[in-house]
Amino acid sequence: MSRQQAIDLATAYFDQGQFQATLERRVAIPTESQEPGKIPVLTSYLTDELTPLLTKLGFDCKIVPNPIEGGAPFLVARRTEPEANFTVLTYGHGDVVRGYAPQWHEGLAPWTLSIRGDRWYGRGTADNKGQHTINLAALEQVITARQGKLGYNVTLLIEMGEEMGSPGLREMCTLHGDLLKADLFLASDGPRVSASRPTLFLGSRGAFNFELRLNVRDGGHHSGNWGGLLKNPGIRLAHAIASMVDAKGRILVPKLLPSSLPDNVRRALANIQVGGGPNDPEIDPDWAEPGLTPTERVFAWNTFETLAFKTGNPDAPVNAIPGYAIAFCQLRYVVGSDNENFLKHIREHLDAHGFTDVEALPSRGEAAEATRLDPDNAWVKMAAASITQTTGKDVDVLPNLGGTLPNDAFSKILALPTVWVPHSYAACSQHAPNEHMLGSVARESLQLMAGLFWDLGDKGAKIAA
């Protein structure tokens, strides 16, 4: 059979309803990793839903316990061919965020796949059940088209804790590097830049979350009796933040910025436009770092965000000077930042500006480091050319995603070139009520992934050599 026949099989998989039936079954499994007591359901997704299909396709499946106590297990499935000389590691996550069923639109529910025009609603359709379902289905069609011989080995890693920060993933990659040894990491998560154009991204921005706290005194004091005499922590903390980021969002602490914006990154982003979609918010043209394009600001630079700020009792304010203030802040950062010393730089800045009374503390939770593959890498060129051949469209190549994924586990611990092919779009309501994927994008993604999995069998060995 031919490349086109593999693509035709993937198209038929969608058109004849097989993709819908498979996704409907997977969406119905409430794999909410953030809810307690869900380990049996999370494990069942691996053992009862995925393992039978993978075994049928020639994979040897292994459930690997999480190195962190209480963490959900991993599925590692390996398909080897005696004459193959390179291996592709692919990945997905079967867990989802909480369903929030009461908040969905009338007639929609998180655990039911509902199709309204081009929108396919259900928890996990975009993040990430729909995306790894596309990839596994496309791989299945290529295995069929090539009569069981891909020409390369495939290892699949599915985790069930990504929505909790991937606890244990990095430890698992360190402990079981032999199981995950490969030449290329190829997976799908996150959104396209635009729903109408295929996208590749090669890493992700890192995220550093921290808290700024100011505790001045116990309890509040009447503002009429004590106003003008007592320090207001809300005002003082607001000024501390203002010393770090200006009124237009520009970071004022040089050590919290990347060392440079590489020329090849700038070139890769030159023709990519962000925003402008029907459900996208309007971009503020003069926000954040001046002299950069909107695309460069979100994909190639660092940003400072105040996620929440609390002082006093916002729900029921009274005439009292509060005794405390707290701000939850975040730095999204790219490769070339001194992220290991962010907290040190924040402390030094606050002290230098007279805010010695403001505490700076790291927030709890897993932190993913910034990663970025060279846009000129041969695997990137091959993947982009393959997708263009299949779709007839130019491909948006992002050196890194604006958001954060656990890509450092693969690019740093496993030392792999990482190529992501997202099958969602920015307005998918990921992590919110009414999460959905677009049927048109799913159909196109089945086609382009079939073409890409086929082309790896023809061209991958030369690149891996």
Side-chain angles (χ1 to χ4, degrees):
M1 298 181 80
S2 66
R3 182 184 194 274
Q4 186 57 51
Q5 287 172 315
I7 295 171
D8 291 343
L9 286 174
T11 306
Y13 185 87
F14 183 91
D15 292 347
Q16 294 173 8
Q18 293 165 278
F19 176 73
Q20 178 181 338
T22 301
L23 185 58
E24 186 173 38
R25 188 176 64 249
R26 292 175 182 172
V27 166
I29 305 172
T31 51
E32 302 164 288
S33 58
Q34 297 167 328
E35 289 288 341
K38 284 286 187 174
I39 295 296
V41 176
L42 299 174
T43 304
S44 176
Y45 187 82
L46 303 178
T47 57
D48 299 337
E49 175 58 34
L50 294 184
T51 295
L53 166 67
L54 294 167
T55 301
K56 177 184 173 183
L57 296 179
F59 284 83
D60 293 323
C61 299
K62 179 178 182 179
I63 301 297
V64 179
N66 198 309
I68 294 181
E69 185 178 355
F74 300 88
L75 171 64
V76 177
R78 304 174 73 190
R79 186 183 188 278
T80 59
E81 298 181 4
E83 297 179 359
N85 68 348
F86 76 101
T87 299
V88 175
L89 173 63
T90 189
Y91 159 90
H93 65 90
D95 67 315
V96 297
V97 298
R98 293 182 175 92
Y100 300 118
Q103 301 177 33
W104 288 57
H105 289 162
E106 185 177 356
L108 302 178
W111 316 119
T112 301
L113 183 66
S114 302
I115 300 176
R116 304 285 188 272
D118 196 30
R119 295 189 175 194
W120 293 37
Y121 290 93
R123 180 63 83 218
T125 51
D127 187 20
N128 173 263
K129 291 176 179 177
Q131 301 213 40
H132 66 250
T133 296
I134 286 170
N135 289 358
L136 293 178
L139 185 65
E140 180 181 6
Q141 309 318 308
V142 174
I143 291 172
T144 299
R146 285 193 176 273
Q147 299 180 326
K149 296 292 183 181
L150 285 171
Y152 53 94
N153 304 318
V154 179
T155 300
L156 168 67
L157 170 63
I158 298 287
E159 70 162 315
M160 301 302 293
E162 195 271 350
E163 300 296 2
M164 295 182 66
S166 298
L169 175 63
R170 292 161 185 83
E171 293 84 352
M172 188 267 189
C173 289
T174 300
L175 290 171
H176 300 284
D178 55 331
L179 281 177
L180 304 174
K181 185 178 180 181
D183 299 276
L184 168 68
F185 175 88
L186 175 66
S188 299
D189 203 347
R192 293 179 169 191
V193 176
S194 166
S196 62
R197 281 166 59 118
T199 295
L200 295 177
F201 65 86
L202 316 178
S204 68
R205 285 201 295 184
F208 176 72
N209 288 61
F210 62 101
E211 300 172 15
L212 298 177
R213 294 175 176 265
L214 182 55
N215 291 301
V216 177
R217 62 188 70 86
D218 292 335
H221 293 270
H222 194 283
S223 59
N225 296 335
W226 297 98
L229 301 176
L230 299 182
K231 180 193 307 182
N232 188 307
I235 293 173
R236 186 151 177 80
L237 189 57
H239 280 275
I241 294 173
S243 76
M244 302 173 68
V245 58
D246 72 13
K248 291 189 175 182
R250 181 185 183 184
I251 295 175
L252 301 176
V253 185
K255 291 181 179 181
L256 301 182
L257 293 172
S259 56
S260 66
L261 198 167
D263 289 340
N264 65 340
V265 171
R266 193 184 292 272
R267 288 195 301 271
L269 298 174
N271 297 318
I272 296 175
Q273 300 295 320
V274 295
N279 297 311
D280 293 342
E282 184 177 351
I283 291 174
D284 295 308
D286 60 348
W287 185 256
E289 187 69 20
L292 300 182
T293 68
T295 305
E296 290 168 346
R297 295 202 303 264
V298 73
F299 295 121
W301 206 249
N302 294 1
T303 57
F304 183 114
E305 306 294 348
T306 298
L307 306 177
F309 189 113
K310 184 177 181 181
T311 187
N313 187 352
D315 296 326
V318 295
N319 295 323
I321 302 167
Y324 79 97
I326 180 171
F328 298 89
C329 302
Q330 181 185 75
L331 283 164
R332 292 277 185 177
Y333 66 93
V334 298
V335 170
S337 303
D338 188 17
N339 57 290
E340 293 185 359
N341 293 303
F342 276 162
L343 198 65
K344 174 177 176 287
H345 299 322
I346 291 168
R347 180 72 269 156
E348 290 174 347
H349 172 87
L350 291 172
D351 290 348
H353 287 74
F355 296 105
T356 56
D357 51 345
V358 174
E359 290 184 279
L361 307 167
S363 296
R364 293 180 180 179
E366 294 277 339
E369 295 186 43
T371 55
R372 177 192 290 155
L373 179 64
D374 188 331
D376 296 324
N377 182 276
W379 290 111
V380 179
K381 299 292 187 183
M382 188 276 290
S386 171
I387 293 172
T388 296
Q389 180 183 350
T390 300
T391 64
K393 299 178 180 181
D394 292 333
V395 179
D396 289 332
V397 178
L398 301 177
N400 52 261
L401 189 67
T404 300
L405 291 169
N407 194 62
D408 56 307
F410 313 115
S411 67
K412 293 192 173 184
I413 297 175
L414 298 179
L416 295 177
T418 53
V419 178
W420 296 80
V421 190
H423 307 321
S424 183
Y425 77 120
C428 67
S429 297
Q430 168 191 357
H431 291 185
N434 310 312
E435 178 182 347
H436 61 277
M437 72 186 314
L438 298 180
S440 57
V441 171
R443 187 176 189 270
E444 181 180 72
S445 294
L446 279 162
Q447 296 168 339
L448 67 85
M449 290 305 298
L452 182 50
F453 284 133
W454 179 281
D455 290 340
L456 283 168
D458 291 341
K459 302 172 183 178
K462 184 177 179 180
I463 299 174

